[in-house]
Amino acid sequence: MVKMKVLMVCLGNICRSPMAESLLRHKWLQIPSVDDSSLSVDSCGTARYHIGKPPDKRTISVLKKHGIETSHRCRQLTQSDGDEFDFILCMDKSNVSNCKSALDSKNHHKILLVGTFDPQGKTIVDDPYYDSYDEFEECFEHLNRCLDGFLKEKILNTQ
């Protein structure tokens, strides 16, 4: 089986993208009869605010509430990410714009809004950073819907 590589992108890589990374990996491992190593997931930020730090404590708390662990350390998007990943899933339009500025134009077709896979049609994943724990939980639920849609449309359909 061909290995698919997915990169989740947000601004600082401490809230939305590490949550999406951990959630997609968790979802993949729950699917019966798939090769665990056939999907690789990572996340990064377009800014360098938090390089080397763990995700926001509220992100970690929401993930733990749902039985998901993370060992992620924040990193910034690099130009080589465009060549390495099959899908680059951004949380909002600013992330898309920043990725297009940072990555070679030959890789722009890989850049998508993760929210385009939301069956409820909410294309932007709101940044909960300045909000309360409840908004982190809402972010998780939104990503949960989006990633179910992404798996069905782009990954499981190709196997």
Side-chain angles (χ1 to χ4, degrees):
M1 175 179 289
V2 175
K3 185 173 199 163
M4 287 286 210
K5 297 182 88 177
V6 180
L7 182 65
M8 304 296 183
V9 182
C10 69
L11 178 63
N13 194 217
I14 61 170
C15 299
R16 298 171 290 174
S17 59
M19 186 182 289
E21 171 194 351
S22 299
L23 179 56
L24 182 58
R25 187 177 297 114
H26 176 78
K27 285 179 169 299
W28 186 252
L29 294 175
Q30 303 308 307
I31 299 171
S33 74
V34 298
D35 179 359
D36 293 355
S37 66
S38 62
L39 182 71
S40 174
V41 188
D42 194 7
S43 67
C44 67
T46 58
R48 51 180 299 124
Y49 305 134
H50 309 287
I51 293 174
K53 295 180 182 174
D56 185 286
K57 64 184 178 182
R58 296 164 294 179
T59 295
I60 295 169
S61 180
V62 167
L63 288 171
K64 281 186 179 178
K65 175 185 170 193
H66 294 277
I68 303 170
E69 296 293 323
T70 183
S71 59
H72 181 75
R73 292 289 181 205
C74 301
R75 72 176 189 87
Q76 187 176 20
L77 179 72
T78 64
Q79 189 164 10
S80 64
D81 288 331
D83 293 324
E84 183 177 343
F85 290 91
D86 301 299
F87 294 97
I88 300 169
L89 301 182
C90 298
M91 303 298 135
D92 60 39
K93 290 178 183 175
S94 177
N95 304 148
V96 168
S97 178
N98 290 335
C99 283
K100 285 183 176 179
S101 293
L103 302 177
D104 192 296
S105 62
K106 70 179 181 182
N107 293 313
H108 286 186
H109 69 281
K110 299 176 182 183
I111 303 168
L112 305 167
L113 280 171
V114 70
T116 59
F117 301 100
D118 183 359
Q120 294 181 13
K122 186 175 180 211
T123 58
I124 303 301
V125 178
D126 296 324
D127 189 349
Y129 183 71
Y130 293 105
D131 295 316
S132 71
Y133 177 87
D134 290 342
E135 281 73 24
F136 278 77
E137 184 63 42
E138 287 177 22
C139 181
F140 180 90
E141 294 304 328
H142 187 193
L143 287 169
N144 194 37
R145 294 190 312 266
C146 295
L147 295 173
D148 279 345
F150 172 74
L151 280 171
K152 287 176 189 164
E153 184 176 326
K154 295 293 187 182
I155 304 297
L156 297 175
N157 254 353
T158 63
Q159 305 208 359

